Amino acid sequence: MKTFKFPARHGYAVEISPFIPTRLACATSQYYGIAGCGTLLVLEQTETGITLVKSFDWNDGLFDVTWSESNEHILLTGGGDGSLQVWDTANPQPGPLQVLKEHTQEVYSVDWSQTREENLVVSGSWDRTAKVWDLSRGGQSLCTLQGHEGVIYSTLWSPHIPGCFASASGDGTLRVWDVKTGRCRLAIPAHKAEILSCDWCKYDQNVIVTGAVDCSLCVWDLRNVRQPLSRLRGHSYAIRRVKFSPFNQTMLASCSYDFTVRLWDYSRTEQPLLETLEHHSEFVCGLDFNLQIPNQVCLTIIFYGIST
Amino acid sequence: IVLPRQPSDLSSSFKIPTLEVFRLVQAGEEVPGLSKLDIKPNNQTPTPSQMERRPKPWENSKTHITTHLRPGNGPIESDVGSLLYVFLPALDC
């Protein structure tokens, strides 16, 4: 077990570099994002522990981070001031390369498209909109997607369908959007509670999982959304993050405010829960699978310490 | 474990509990001890990439797109490998 401690910051999101498997980025905020600034941490795993490669401060809290899929130096964060920041780990100058300011409230989710032909970023905000950006086209968004009736917590590109992303919202719906038409293709009343996280299946383009404040995960086939393929129960508090395995079609991991991380295989209809990892004094906020280690589940977990 | 650098806004020795911060923010009051940063973009061009994009595991897979669930009630095959923890503790006590 390797640990890294950084005082005065609370972790919100973690993502492993798609180019360098030992490198990870962590978006953090001061005072739980209520007030103060934020810091982007770029960390490196070594045999003995975790070292700090670089840190970037920002004027407001940072809630999400995404690595570029086309350049190993570049990452992007979403901030409490409604802006997105583009960072370059190889540039010695302080500050971001670029700031994209259009959202009027916190940007809680940023995602860089993994589809090869695209170079797009999607952002999801508490202002209830999602925006799509092409960083090579300057500081203006390509389009703004409206429709959610609550804050957006998560926006994620489909790994298979170009120009298609999903969003999870405080309005209890999961929506699937098509960027070319700017339209919402599907709105699923997936939970009777806020949905904090969602993720696409990597091996079936029709399958998505949602994780909600009602403590459950639902796996959906978008071709038939009248009922979920599977409902995974076990967590005793809200689901903070859910991620599908990059190696296995039906395996996924979830973390919750109940101080656990759980591993599931939803094809095991009688007993889908594979493993529960408990940590008594902190709850997990961020979660990512390592894409470079075949046949192995490797989780990166951020503990979000709480005061007593 | 490497000692992390201290952020500049920890120069104030008084640490405010989170609930107090929340109350101050709700009341529209200033939170003492927070340094206001004024970081601006440098508008430089990105450092050119030197690495090739790697294919994702599912891009190599033969079961790239599938619509059937494999039944899986057999023995657990998960292999939880190394767990990496990044711990960011709370400031207040």
Side-chain angles (χ1 to χ4, degrees), chain B residues 13-89:
Chain B
S13 57
F14 175 62
K15 313 265 194 296
I16 308 171
T18 302
L19 283 178
E20 181 61 15
V21 171
F22 191 69
R23 188 196 70 73
L24 289 167
V25 169
Q26 290 239 291
E29 294 175 32
E30 281 286 309
V31 179
L34 290 187
S35 55
K36 287 203 172 138
L37 302 180
D38 186 25
I39 296 163
K40 294 191 160 61
N42 54 48
N43 292 316
Q44 298 192 341
T45 52
T47 304
S49 169
Q50 283 110 16
M51 295 178 78
E52 282 281 310
R53 181 195 184 274
R54 295 200 203 196
K56 308 292 181 192
W58 57 88
E59 287 168 357
N60 287 335
S61 168
K62 284 174 191 160
T63 56
H64 173 70
I65 295 168
T66 180
T67 57
H68 302 292
L69 275 183
R70 284 175 289 106
N73 285 321
I76 292 171
E77 285 173 14
S78 73
D79 177 19
V80 179
S82 60
L83 287 169
L84 173 65
Y85 301 104
V86 179
F87 174 60
L88 300 170

Side-chain angles (χ1 to χ4, degrees), chain A residues 1-11 18-19 21 24 26 28 30-32 34-37 43 45 50-51 55 57-59 69-74 88 90-91 93-99 114 116 159-160 202-205 223 246-247 249-251 263 266-270 274-275 279 282 291-292 296-303 305-307, chain B residues 1-10 14-19 21-26 31-93:
Chain A
M1 176 172 141
K2 299 172 196 172
T3 61
F4 183 85
K5 297 191 180 197
F6 196 86
R9 291 294 180 273
H10 304 115
F19 290 91
L24 41 132
C26 180
T28 76
Q30 197 179 12
Y31 288 121
Y32 298 95
I34 296 169
C37 62
L43 307 171
Q45 277 191 70
I50 304 167
T51 58
S55 71
D57 286 333
W58 182 243
N59 309 312
E69 290 285 331
S70 52
N71 186 328
E72 69 276 15
H73 308 295
I74 304 299
D88 184 341
N91 187 323
Q93 294 247 334
L97 295 181
Q98 202 181 358
V99 175
Q114 295 182 3
R116 280 183 188 270
H160 298 294
K202 309 302 185 280
Y203 293 90
D204 186 333
Q205 64 178 10
R223 297 165 301 179
F247 299 107
Q249 179 171 349
T250 56
M251 192 181 291
L263 208 57
Y266 79 89
S267 70
R268 293 167 51 89
T269 43
E270 278 159 31
L274 297 175
E275 193 116 13
H279 303 279
E282 302 88 23
L291 296 184
Q292 312 292 346
Q296 206 178 37
V297 174
C298 177
L299 304 175
T300 300
I301 301 168
I302 299 261
F303 288 95
I306 55 172
S307 57
Chain B
I1 294 170
V2 170
L3 287 177
R5 93 178 159 85
Q6 296 285 319
S8 54
D9 57 289
L10 267 191
F14 175 62
K15 313 265 194 296
I16 308 171
T18 302
L19 283 178
V21 171
F22 191 69
R23 188 196 70 73
L24 289 167
V25 169
Q26 290 239 291
V31 179
L34 290 187
S35 55
K36 287 203 172 138
L37 302 180
D38 186 25
I39 296 163
K40 294 191 160 61
N42 54 48
N43 292 316
Q44 298 192 341
T45 52
T47 304
S49 169
Q50 283 110 16
M51 295 178 78
E52 282 281 310
R53 181 195 184 274
R54 295 200 203 196
K56 308 292 181 192
W58 57 88
E59 287 168 357
N60 287 335
S61 168
K62 284 174 191 160
T63 56
H64 173 70
I65 295 168
T66 180
T67 57
H68 302 292
L69 275 183
R70 284 175 289 106
N73 285 321
I76 292 171
E77 285 173 14
S78 73
D79 177 19
V80 179
S82 60
L83 287 169
L84 173 65
Y85 301 104
V86 179
F87 174 60
L88 300 170
L91 172 64
D92 25 340
C93 41

Side-chain angles (χ1 to χ4, degrees), chain A residues 144-155:
Chain A
T144 299
L145 293 314
Q146 294 177 311
H148 272 300
E149 291 167 355
V151 301
I152 295 179
Y153 287 112
S154 181
T155 45

Side-chain angles (χ1 to χ4, degrees), chain A residues 193-196 211-217 235-241 254-260 283-284:
Chain A
E194 294 191 284
I195 310 175
L196 301 185
V213 171
D214 63 9
C215 318
S216 76
L217 303 159
H235 280 296
S236 49
Y237 278 90
I239 309 296
R240 183 69 184 81
R241 293 260 180 208
S254 59
C255 64
S256 162
Y257 290 117
D258 68 4
F259 304 135
T260 70
F283 54 85
V284 182

Side-chain angles (χ1 to χ4, degrees), chain A residues 165-205:
Chain A
F165 72 89
S167 61
S169 168
D171 66 11
T173 69
L174 172 76
R175 285 175 188 247
V176 178
W177 307 84
D178 173 45
V179 170
K180 281 193 204 98
T181 58
R183 288 228 173 97
C184 173
R185 292 176 56 205
L186 208 54
I188 307 165
H191 295 265
K192 292 193 170 72
E194 294 191 284
I195 310 175
L196 301 185
S197 183
C198 64
D199 196 24
W200 293 86
C201 177
K202 309 302 185 280
Y203 293 90
D204 186 333
Q205 64 178 10

